[in-house]
Amino acid sequence: MDGQSRVYLLWHVRHAEPTDGSEIRHFAADDDFWADEEEGDDVKLLGVYSSRDKAQERIVRARVLPGFRDEPKCFYIEEFTVDADEWKDGFVTVMTGGEGSEGPEETG
């Protein structure tokens, strides 16, 4: 190990049913994370863990609970290094839409 501490954030996404009647898309692989909260996807942070194994153990416990068991493949473990900066280059705000748009879209 390189001496840097890491933490593992465990996320779950309950995907909203598409309004166009198409099939709900779930995660296809362990590293396949996507969510669209504007379309109604419900993203939850289940916890922050000191190891990937502890996050995996939490997935096992969560999969039997209401809501989580409905989308048992939609868990995602995200690894972060403690005390490491993110968004190092800042961000810009790009205005989208015209009059009556819902506001700025941030990009980074």
Side-chain angles (χ1 to χ4, degrees), residues 55-107:
Q56 290 285 358
E57 291 169 5
R58 174 62 172 121
I59 290 173
V60 170
R61 294 190 311 272
R63 279 189 172 143
V64 299
L65 300 173
F68 298 115
R69 67 178 165 227
D70 298 333
E71 295 205 45
K73 292 185 176 185
C74 294
F75 291 92
Y76 180 76
I77 299 172
E78 185 174 19
E79 181 178 334
F80 279 93
T81 301
V82 176
D83 297 330
D85 294 341
E86 301 289 336
W87 289 81
K88 296 175 188 173
D89 296 326
F91 66 92
V92 298
T93 301
V94 177
M95 300 303 288
T96 60
E99 255 185 38
S101 70
E102 292 184 21
E105 177 180 307
E106 293 179 359
T107 61

Side-chain angles (χ1 to χ4, degrees), residues 5-108:
S5 297
R6 290 186 171 71
V7 293
Y8 301 84
L9 283 66
L10 175 59
W11 300 93
H12 182 268
V13 178
R14 172 116 188 194
H15 294 100
E17 193 166 324
T19 56
D20 65 2
S22 62
E23 192 171 315
I24 296 174
R25 179 180 157 215
H26 301 283
F27 297 166
D30 288 342
D31 61 349
D32 179 31
F33 177 87
W34 67 272
D36 189 342
E37 292 179 288
E38 288 183 15
E39 291 295 322
D41 289 348
D42 186 9
V43 180
K44 290 180 173 47
L45 175 63
L46 276 73
V48 179
Y49 299 91
S50 60
S51 72
R52 184 172 294 279
D53 287 342
K54 288 185 180 190
Q56 290 285 358
E57 291 169 5
R58 174 62 172 121
I59 290 173
V60 170
R61 294 190 311 272
R63 279 189 172 143
V64 299
L65 300 173
F68 298 115
R69 67 178 165 227
D70 298 333
E71 295 205 45
K73 292 185 176 185
C74 294
F75 291 92
Y76 180 76
I77 299 172
E78 185 174 19
E79 181 178 334
F80 279 93
T81 301
V82 176
D83 297 330
D85 294 341
E86 301 289 336
W87 289 81
K88 296 175 188 173
D89 296 326
F91 66 92
V92 298
T93 301
V94 177
M95 300 303 288
T96 60
E99 255 185 38
S101 70
E102 292 184 21
E105 177 180 307
E106 293 179 359
T107 61

